[in-house]
Amino acid sequence: FGRGGGAVAAVRGVSFEVGRGEVFGLVGPSGCGKSTTCGALLGLLGSSATVEARRLELEGDRLQDLDEQGWRRVRGRRIALVPQHPRAALSPLVPVGRQLDWYLGADAVARHVADLEALGLDSVVARPRDLPSSFSGGQLQRLVIAIATLGASPALLLADEPTSTLDPTVAATVLDVLATVRRERGASMVFVSHDLAVVSQVCDRVGVMDRGELVEVAPPAELFDSPRHE
């Protein structure tokens, strides 16, 4: 809501599709509506926001008609989020092994040893009783990817600036993990980023947002070689 109490259209007329196994990039300046769009795709905008969509579908199922209980059945199972700040997504006071149990079921580390090691989480396998503060930012980002993908096989991953807080070397390993998840699990992805070099590397198509609107959609090479929007 605006200062006068009236409704404000934070995002207007945004329309795109993500094909099976496709990575759709979403770029634009801060405040342009990227995270708001992702929140709408997860039903997480809060009670003060309203999503008005003619079509909001996942594999043919209508999402705009879901109540909160319906959204809970979708989140994590069919649509999963890889957040920007893994330390904020994890409890700082609970060992990482126990947090994996919360999302993946009892004895999660023992049951998923091979998967965790494949994601580069040997340290979590070796030290499940350690707190998140004992691990690096890159390890924690891989951990939240494990939480998002090992408990189910989501059709859609929402990666919201997943490498923005990491140094380039660690970021590259996280991108490799996401590419592996995409390849082995057939997941589609909406990849939100400010890093145009990363976007050109990982995305099949890119949507540019500006002031709450989607102003251009094109393959990376076309977009960066001859953009239509200023």
Side-chain angles (χ1 to χ4, degrees), residues 107-122 125 146 150 180 184-185:
D107 300 319
V109 172
R111 289 187 295 104
H112 292 283
V113 168
D115 291 323
L116 292 170
E117 290 178 344
L119 292 174
L121 290 170
D122 307 65
V125 172
L150 295 184
T180 299
E184 295 184 354
R185 297 178 179 267

Side-chain angles (χ1 to χ4, degrees), residues 14-66:
V14 170
S15 179
F16 61 89
E17 295 183 2
V18 185
R20 188 179 300 276
E22 181 183 22
V23 179
F24 184 86
L26 206 56
V27 302
S30 297
C32 69
K34 302 186 302 295
S35 294
T36 299
T37 299
C38 285
L41 296 176
L42 276 170
L44 286 178
L45 292 181
S47 58
S48 63
T50 300
V51 178
E52 297 179 353
R54 286 177 295 185
R55 290 180 60 201
L56 183 57
E57 296 183 357
L58 177 66
E59 297 181 316
D61 294 334
R62 291 167 56 89
L63 302 183
Q64 65 263 41
D65 300 329
L66 295 180

Side-chain angles (χ1 to χ4, degrees), residues 90-139:
L90 298 166
S91 171
L93 304 178
V94 179
V96 292
R98 189 183 304 172
Q99 295 193 58
L100 282 169
D101 289 347
W102 290 348
Y103 297 101
L104 306 181
D107 300 319
V109 172
R111 289 187 295 104
H112 292 283
V113 168
D115 291 323
L116 292 170
E117 290 178 344
L119 292 174
L121 290 170
D122 307 65
S123 57
V124 170
V125 172
R127 298 184 280 117
R129 296 183 180 179
D130 283 8
L131 297 175
S133 58
S134 300
F135 300 90
S136 69
Q139 289 170 325

Side-chain angles (χ1 to χ4, degrees), residues 182-204:
R182 173 197 182 190
R183 181 176 63 253
E184 295 184 354
R185 297 178 179 267
S188 305
M189 192 183 309
V190 175
F191 188 90
V192 178
S193 181
H194 284 94
D195 191 328
L196 298 185
V198 170
V199 166
S200 66
Q201 174 187 344
V202 304
C203 297
D204 300 302

Side-chain angles (χ1 to χ4, degrees), residues 64-84:
Q64 65 263 41
D65 300 329
L66 295 180
D67 56 15
E68 181 55 31
Q69 185 175 2
W71 274 112
R72 288 175 182 171
R73 289 193 293 268
V74 169
R75 292 189 208 111
R77 297 173 183 170
R78 302 182 64 193
I79 305 177
L81 174 68
V82 178
Q84 180 178 8

